[in-house]
Short mmCIF file of all heavy atoms in Angstrom, two decimals:
data_model
loop_
_atom_site.label_atom_id
_atom_site.label_comp_id
_atom_site.label_asym_id
_atom_site.label_seq_id
_atom_site.Cartn_x
_atom_site.Cartn_y
_atom_site.Cartn_z
N ASP Q 1 136.69 94.77 93.63
CA ASP Q 1 137.30 93.50 93.19
C ASP Q 1 136.87 93.10 91.79
O ASP Q 1 137.65 92.62 90.99
CB ASP Q 1 136.99 92.39 94.18
CG ASP Q 1 137.68 92.58 95.52
OD1 ASP Q 1 138.64 93.39 95.54
OD2 ASP Q 1 137.26 91.99 96.52
N GLU Q 2 135.56 93.35 91.48
CA GLU Q 2 135.03 92.89 90.17
C GLU Q 2 135.55 93.75 89.02
O GLU Q 2 135.40 93.40 87.85
CB GLU Q 2 133.50 92.88 90.18
CG GLU Q 2 132.86 94.22 90.41
CD GLU Q 2 132.62 94.59 91.88
OE1 GLU Q 2 133.28 93.94 92.73
OE2 GLU Q 2 131.83 95.48 92.13
N LEU Q 3 136.15 94.91 89.34
CA LEU Q 3 136.65 95.80 88.28
C LEU Q 3 138.18 95.85 88.21
O LEU Q 3 138.75 96.65 87.47
CB LEU Q 3 136.09 97.21 88.44
CG LEU Q 3 134.58 97.40 88.33
CD1 LEU Q 3 134.22 98.86 88.53
CD2 LEU Q 3 134.09 96.93 86.96
N LEU Q 4 138.86 95.02 89.03
CA LEU Q 4 140.31 95.09 89.10
C LEU Q 4 140.99 94.83 87.75
O LEU Q 4 141.91 95.53 87.37
CB LEU Q 4 140.82 94.08 90.13
CG LEU Q 4 140.93 94.56 91.57
CD1 LEU Q 4 141.30 93.44 92.52
CD2 LEU Q 4 141.93 95.72 91.70
N GLU Q 5 140.51 93.83 87.00
CA GLU Q 5 141.11 93.50 85.72
C GLU Q 5 140.80 94.54 84.66
O GLU Q 5 141.64 94.79 83.77
CB GLU Q 5 140.63 92.11 85.25
CG GLU Q 5 141.18 90.95 86.07
CD GLU Q 5 140.79 89.62 85.46
OE1 GLU Q 5 140.24 89.60 84.34
OE2 GLU Q 5 141.06 88.57 86.08
N GLN Q 6 139.64 95.17 84.72
CA GLN Q 6 139.25 96.13 83.69
C GLN Q 6 139.86 97.49 83.90
O GLN Q 6 140.03 98.25 82.93
CB GLN Q 6 137.72 96.28 83.69
CG GLN Q 6 136.98 94.98 83.45
CD GLN Q 6 135.48 95.19 83.64
OE1 GLN Q 6 134.89 96.16 83.21
NE2 GLN Q 6 134.83 94.24 84.36
N THR Q 7 140.19 97.87 85.13
CA THR Q 7 140.69 99.21 85.43
C THR Q 7 142.17 99.28 85.14
O THR Q 7 143.00 98.73 85.87
CB THR Q 7 140.42 99.58 86.90
OG1 THR Q 7 139.03 99.36 87.16
CG2 THR Q 7 140.72 101.04 87.14
N ARG Q 8 142.52 99.93 84.04
CA ARG Q 8 143.92 100.06 83.63
C ARG Q 8 144.19 101.52 83.22
O ARG Q 8 143.26 102.23 82.81
CB ARG Q 8 144.21 99.14 82.44
CG ARG Q 8 144.17 97.68 82.82
CD ARG Q 8 144.47 96.78 81.63
NE ARG Q 8 143.33 96.70 80.72
CZ ARG Q 8 143.36 96.14 79.52
NH1 ARG Q 8 144.52 95.70 79.03
NH2 ARG Q 8 142.28 96.06 78.78
N PRO Q 9 145.46 101.96 83.25
CA PRO Q 9 145.76 103.31 82.76
C PRO Q 9 145.35 103.49 81.31
O PRO Q 9 145.64 102.66 80.46
CB PRO Q 9 147.30 103.41 82.94
CG PRO Q 9 147.61 102.43 83.99
CD PRO Q 9 146.63 101.32 83.83
N GLY Q 10 144.62 104.58 81.02
CA GLY Q 10 144.19 104.90 79.66
C GLY Q 10 142.74 104.58 79.39
O GLY Q 10 142.25 104.89 78.30
N VAL Q 11 141.98 104.00 80.35
CA VAL Q 11 140.58 103.74 80.16
C VAL Q 11 139.75 104.85 80.79
O VAL Q 11 140.18 105.57 81.69
CB VAL Q 11 140.14 102.37 80.73
CG1 VAL Q 11 140.91 101.23 80.08
CG2 VAL Q 11 140.30 102.34 82.27
N ARG Q 12 138.51 105.01 80.30
CA ARG Q 12 137.58 105.96 80.86
C ARG Q 12 136.75 105.23 81.97
O ARG Q 12 136.43 104.05 81.84
CB ARG Q 12 136.65 106.51 79.81
CG ARG Q 12 137.32 107.34 78.76
CD ARG Q 12 136.39 107.68 77.63
NE ARG Q 12 135.86 106.45 77.05
CZ ARG Q 12 134.67 106.34 76.48
NH1 ARG Q 12 133.89 107.42 76.33
NH2 ARG Q 12 134.27 105.20 75.96
N VAL Q 13 136.43 106.00 83.01
CA VAL Q 13 135.66 105.42 84.11
C VAL Q 13 134.57 106.42 84.53
O VAL Q 13 134.66 107.60 84.24
CB VAL Q 13 136.53 105.10 85.33
CG1 VAL Q 13 137.54 104.01 85.02
CG2 VAL Q 13 137.22 106.34 85.86
N LYS Q 14 133.55 105.90 85.19
CA LYS Q 14 132.54 106.73 85.83
C LYS Q 14 132.73 106.60 87.33
O LYS Q 14 132.86 105.47 87.86
CB LYS Q 14 131.12 106.30 85.45
CG LYS Q 14 130.75 106.69 84.04
CD LYS Q 14 129.30 106.35 83.71
CE LYS Q 14 128.91 106.77 82.30
NZ LYS Q 14 127.50 106.41 81.97
N VAL Q 15 132.76 107.76 88.00
CA VAL Q 15 133.02 107.77 89.45
C VAL Q 15 132.08 108.77 90.10
O VAL Q 15 131.62 109.74 89.49
CB VAL Q 15 134.49 108.16 89.77
CG1 VAL Q 15 135.44 107.10 89.25
CG2 VAL Q 15 134.83 109.52 89.11
N PRO Q 16 131.78 108.58 91.39
CA PRO Q 16 130.97 109.56 92.14
C PRO Q 16 131.85 110.69 92.63
O PRO Q 16 132.97 110.47 93.06
CB PRO Q 16 130.42 108.71 93.30
CG PRO Q 16 131.44 107.65 93.51
CD PRO Q 16 132.04 107.36 92.16
N LEU Q 17 131.35 111.92 92.55
CA LEU Q 17 132.13 113.07 92.94
C LEU Q 17 131.34 113.97 93.89
O LEU Q 17 130.15 114.25 93.66
CB LEU Q 17 132.54 113.87 91.71
CG LEU Q 17 133.46 115.07 91.92
CD1 LEU Q 17 134.83 114.58 92.38
CD2 LEU Q 17 133.63 115.89 90.64
N GLY Q 18 131.99 114.44 94.93
CA GLY Q 18 131.39 115.42 95.84
C GLY Q 18 130.40 114.78 96.82
O GLY Q 18 130.15 113.59 96.80
N ARG Q 19 129.83 115.64 97.65
CA ARG Q 19 128.88 115.15 98.66
C ARG Q 19 127.64 114.57 98.03
O ARG Q 19 127.02 113.68 98.56
CB ARG Q 19 128.50 116.31 99.59
CG ARG Q 19 129.64 116.75 100.51
CD ARG Q 19 129.16 117.77 101.51
NE ARG Q 19 130.24 118.15 102.41
CZ ARG Q 19 130.12 119.03 103.38
NH1 ARG Q 19 128.92 119.63 103.60
NH2 ARG Q 19 131.13 119.30 104.18
N SER Q 20 127.25 115.10 96.88
CA SER Q 20 126.03 114.60 96.21
C SER Q 20 126.31 113.32 95.40
O SER Q 20 125.39 112.71 94.88
CB SER Q 20 125.48 115.67 95.29
OG SER Q 20 126.44 115.96 94.23
N ASN Q 21 127.62 112.93 95.31
CA ASN Q 21 128.00 111.74 94.55
C ASN Q 21 127.50 111.78 93.11
O ASN Q 21 127.08 110.78 92.53
CB ASN Q 21 127.49 110.46 95.22
CG ASN Q 21 128.29 110.13 96.45
OD1 ASN Q 21 129.47 110.44 96.55
ND2 ASN Q 21 127.62 109.54 97.44
N ARG Q 22 127.57 112.99 92.52
CA ARG Q 22 127.16 113.10 91.11
C ARG Q 22 128.14 112.32 90.24
O ARG Q 22 129.36 112.26 90.48
CB ARG Q 22 127.10 114.55 90.65
CG ARG Q 22 128.40 115.31 90.66
CD ARG Q 22 128.16 116.81 90.42
NE ARG Q 22 129.37 117.58 90.56
CZ ARG Q 22 130.12 117.99 89.55
NH1 ARG Q 22 129.75 117.69 88.32
NH2 ARG Q 22 131.21 118.69 89.73
N GLU Q 23 127.62 111.68 89.24
CA GLU Q 23 128.41 110.80 88.39
C GLU Q 23 129.26 111.63 87.42
O GLU Q 23 128.77 112.51 86.70
CB GLU Q 23 127.49 109.88 87.58
CG GLU Q 23 128.20 108.69 86.96
CD GLU Q 23 127.24 107.73 86.30
OE1 GLU Q 23 126.66 108.10 85.26
OE2 GLU Q 23 127.02 106.61 86.85
N MET Q 24 130.58 111.37 87.40
CA MET Q 24 131.50 112.09 86.54
C MET Q 24 132.29 111.11 85.69
O MET Q 24 132.61 110.00 86.13
CB MET Q 24 132.50 112.91 87.38
CG MET Q 24 131.90 114.17 87.99
SD MET Q 24 131.83 115.52 86.80
CE MET Q 24 133.54 116.01 86.69
N LEU Q 25 132.58 111.54 84.48
CA LEU Q 25 133.41 110.73 83.58
C LEU Q 25 134.87 111.19 83.75
O LEU Q 25 135.16 112.40 83.65
CB LEU Q 25 132.96 110.88 82.15
CG LEU Q 25 133.65 109.95 81.12
CD1 LEU Q 25 132.69 109.57 80.02
CD2 LEU Q 25 134.88 110.60 80.51
N GLY Q 26 135.76 110.27 84.01
CA GLY Q 26 137.16 110.59 84.18
C GLY Q 26 138.06 109.63 83.44
O GLY Q 26 137.59 108.66 82.82
N TYR Q 27 139.34 109.92 83.46
CA TYR Q 27 140.35 109.09 82.77
C TYR Q 27 141.32 108.52 83.79
O TYR Q 27 141.86 109.28 84.62
CB TYR Q 27 141.12 109.93 81.76
CG TYR Q 27 140.24 110.51 80.67
CD1 TYR Q 27 139.62 111.75 80.85
CD2 TYR Q 27 140.01 109.83 79.50
CE1 TYR Q 27 138.81 112.30 79.84
CE2 TYR Q 27 139.19 110.36 78.51
CZ TYR Q 27 138.59 111.58 78.70
OH TYR Q 27 137.76 112.13 77.74
N CYS Q 28 141.53 107.22 83.77
CA CYS Q 28 142.46 106.57 84.68
C CYS Q 28 143.88 106.79 84.16
O CYS Q 28 144.18 106.46 83.00
CB CYS Q 28 142.13 105.09 84.80
SG CYS Q 28 143.28 104.16 85.82
N ILE Q 29 144.75 107.30 85.02
CA ILE Q 29 146.15 107.52 84.60
C ILE Q 29 147.14 106.62 85.34
O ILE Q 29 148.29 106.53 84.96
CB ILE Q 29 146.56 109.00 84.78
CG1 ILE Q 29 146.45 109.43 86.24
CG2 ILE Q 29 145.73 109.91 83.88
CD1 ILE Q 29 147.08 110.79 86.53
N ALA Q 30 146.65 105.95 86.43
CA ALA Q 30 147.54 105.04 87.16
C ALA Q 30 146.72 104.17 88.05
O ALA Q 30 145.62 104.53 88.47
CB ALA Q 30 148.57 105.84 87.97
N VAL Q 31 147.25 102.97 88.33
CA VAL Q 31 146.66 102.05 89.31
C VAL Q 31 147.73 101.71 90.30
O VAL Q 31 148.83 101.29 89.91
CB VAL Q 31 146.11 100.77 88.60
CG1 VAL Q 31 145.64 99.76 89.63
CG2 VAL Q 31 145.03 101.11 87.62
N GLU Q 32 147.43 101.90 91.57
CA GLU Q 32 148.46 101.69 92.59
C GLU Q 32 147.84 101.24 93.91
O GLU Q 32 146.62 101.29 94.09
CB GLU Q 32 149.22 103.01 92.82
CG GLU Q 32 148.32 104.21 93.13
CD GLU Q 32 149.01 105.52 92.92
OE1 GLU Q 32 150.22 105.61 93.17
OE2 GLU Q 32 148.34 106.50 92.52
N THR Q 33 148.69 100.78 94.80
CA THR Q 33 148.24 100.38 96.16
C THR Q 33 148.47 101.58 97.06
O THR Q 33 149.60 102.14 97.12
CB THR Q 33 149.05 99.18 96.65
OG1 THR Q 33 148.83 98.08 95.79
CG2 THR Q 33 148.63 98.80 98.06
N VAL Q 34 147.45 102.04 97.76
CA VAL Q 34 147.54 103.21 98.64
C VAL Q 34 147.34 102.75 100.09
O VAL Q 34 146.63 101.79 100.36
CB VAL Q 34 146.49 104.29 98.26
CG1 VAL Q 34 146.79 104.82 96.88
CG2 VAL Q 34 145.09 103.75 98.32
N GLN Q 35 147.98 103.50 100.99
CA GLN Q 35 147.85 103.19 102.42
C GLN Q 35 146.59 103.85 102.97
O GLN Q 35 146.66 104.81 103.71
CB GLN Q 35 149.12 103.70 103.16
CG GLN Q 35 150.40 103.00 102.73
CD GLN Q 35 150.37 101.50 103.01
OE1 GLN Q 35 149.87 101.06 104.05
NE2 GLN Q 35 150.85 100.72 102.06
N GLN Q 36 145.46 103.32 102.55
CA GLN Q 36 144.17 103.82 103.02
C GLN Q 36 143.27 102.61 103.20
O GLN Q 36 143.24 101.71 102.38
CB GLN Q 36 143.53 104.75 102.00
CG GLN Q 36 144.23 106.09 101.81
CD GLN Q 36 143.76 107.11 102.83
OE1 GLN Q 36 143.15 106.75 103.83
NE2 GLN Q 36 144.04 108.36 102.59
N PRO Q 37 142.52 102.56 104.31
CA PRO Q 37 141.53 101.52 104.44
C PRO Q 37 140.50 101.61 103.32
O PRO Q 37 140.21 102.70 102.83
CB PRO Q 37 140.88 101.78 105.82
CG PRO Q 37 141.84 102.68 106.52
CD PRO Q 37 142.54 103.45 105.48
N PRO Q 38 139.95 100.49 102.82
CA PRO Q 38 139.00 100.51 101.69
C PRO Q 38 137.86 101.48 101.89
O PRO Q 38 137.39 102.10 100.94
CB PRO Q 38 138.52 99.07 101.62
CG PRO Q 38 139.64 98.27 102.19
CD PRO Q 38 140.25 99.11 103.27
N GLY Q 39 137.39 101.65 103.12
CA GLY Q 39 136.24 102.57 103.37
C GLY Q 39 136.56 104.00 103.23
O GLY Q 39 135.66 104.85 103.22
N ALA Q 40 137.86 104.33 103.14
CA ALA Q 40 138.24 105.75 103.07
C ALA Q 40 138.02 106.37 101.70
O ALA Q 40 137.96 107.58 101.56
CB ALA Q 40 139.73 105.89 103.47
N LEU Q 41 137.99 105.53 100.66
CA LEU Q 41 137.88 106.01 99.29
C LEU Q 41 136.55 105.60 98.69
O LEU Q 41 136.08 104.48 98.90
CB LEU Q 41 139.04 105.47 98.44
CG LEU Q 41 140.46 105.83 98.89
CD1 LEU Q 41 141.45 105.10 98.00
CD2 LEU Q 41 140.68 107.32 98.82
N LYS Q 42 136.01 106.47 97.84
CA LYS Q 42 134.82 106.10 97.09
C LYS Q 42 135.19 105.13 95.98
O LYS Q 42 136.32 105.18 95.44
CB LYS Q 42 134.17 107.34 96.46
CG LYS Q 42 133.60 108.33 97.51
CD LYS Q 42 132.99 109.53 96.82
CE LYS Q 42 132.42 110.48 97.87
NZ LYS Q 42 131.78 111.67 97.25
N PRO Q 43 134.29 104.24 95.61
CA PRO Q 43 134.65 103.20 94.61
C PRO Q 43 134.44 103.70 93.16
O PRO Q 43 133.58 104.55 92.90
CB PRO Q 43 133.69 102.07 94.92
CG PRO Q 43 132.45 102.77 95.45
CD PRO Q 43 132.96 103.99 96.20
N VAL Q 44 135.19 103.13 92.24
CA VAL Q 44 134.93 103.33 90.80
C VAL Q 44 133.60 102.68 90.50
O VAL Q 44 133.36 101.52 90.88
CB VAL Q 44 136.06 102.68 89.98
CG1 VAL Q 44 135.70 102.69 88.51
CG2 VAL Q 44 137.38 103.37 90.22
#
């Protein structure tokens, strides 16, 4: 919720990746509503 306004297509983000949750730098290409409970996805 605290990152909703900042997360837009074209910005860089840091996200956890894999079982070890290593920090990766990625690029946001879209923001959408998905049919997944919040606990199903790792957070930005």
Side-chain angles (χ1 to χ4, degrees):
D1 292 342
E2 63 272 17
L3 296 180
L4 272 174
E5 290 187 7
Q6 302 172 44
T7 308
R8 291 180 283 170
V11 300
R12 296 170 303 152
V13 296
K14 285 185 179 178
V15 293
L17 185 67
R19 290 186 178 181
S20 63
N21 287 329
R22 63 190 175 99
E23 195 174 70
M24 284 280 286
L25 188 147
Y27 299 89
C28 176
I29 60 170
V31 174
E32 53 198 325
T33 300
V34 296
Q35 297 298 319
Q36 291 275 17
L41 300 175
K42 293 180 180 181
V44 172

